[in-house]
Amino acid sequence: VQLQASGGGLVQAGGSLRLSCAASGRTLSNYAMGWFRQAPGKEREFVAAIRWSGGITLYADYADSVKGRFTISRDNAKNTVDLQMNSLKAEDTAVYYCAAGDGSAYKRGYAYWGQGTLVTVSS
């Protein structure tokens, strides 16, 4: 499966962005999906994950740093997974990656990765 992340950009602190991850090659219904991010000089870290079955979301999981501000969702018709980011902070600045895999918080659980989209939050 090929993944394409989009929607990044420059936003002021307190603002919002919506990232989208589009899949080609295979339907996302076969995978759980996650979003990770990597800030300059830091390790790639877990942001959010979503798992579903039979068209129903089973769970959505979030890193503590984004709980209450970010929402992960899936659009069956478009075969995309989105990440709505609200109340953005300067520390959210990073390259954001979507990935297809087991829906865990661990990079090793994901076999497919998108190319990343840059989010810059100005303070």
Side-chain angles (χ1 to χ4, degrees), residues 19-78:
L19 307 183
S20 185
C21 179
S24 61
R26 291 184 183 180
T27 176
L28 290 179
S29 63
N30 296 326
Y31 303 93
M33 296 295 295
W35 283 95
F36 289 76
R37 67 186 181 187
Q38 188 166 16
K42 294 188 177 181
E43 294 289 323
R44 192 172 299 187
E45 64 177 6
F46 171 75
V47 175
I50 187 168
R51 179 177 288 174
W52 57 84
S53 178
I56 300 173
T57 298
L58 298 180
Y59 77 79
D61 191 23
Y62 300 92
D64 288 343
S65 59
V66 306
K67 278 181 182 177
R69 300 188 298 122
F70 291 11
T71 303
I72 188 171
S73 61
R74 176 174 174 248
D75 188 319
N76 293 337
K78 296 180 180 179

Side-chain angles (χ1 to χ4, degrees), residues 2-8 19-23 35 81 96-99 113-118:
Q2 291 79 45
L3 303 175
Q4 179 77 34
S6 62
L19 307 183
S20 185
C21 179
W35 283 95
V81 174
Y96 284 71
Y97 299 88
C98 61
W113 292 83
Q115 87 289 357
T117 185
L118 176 62

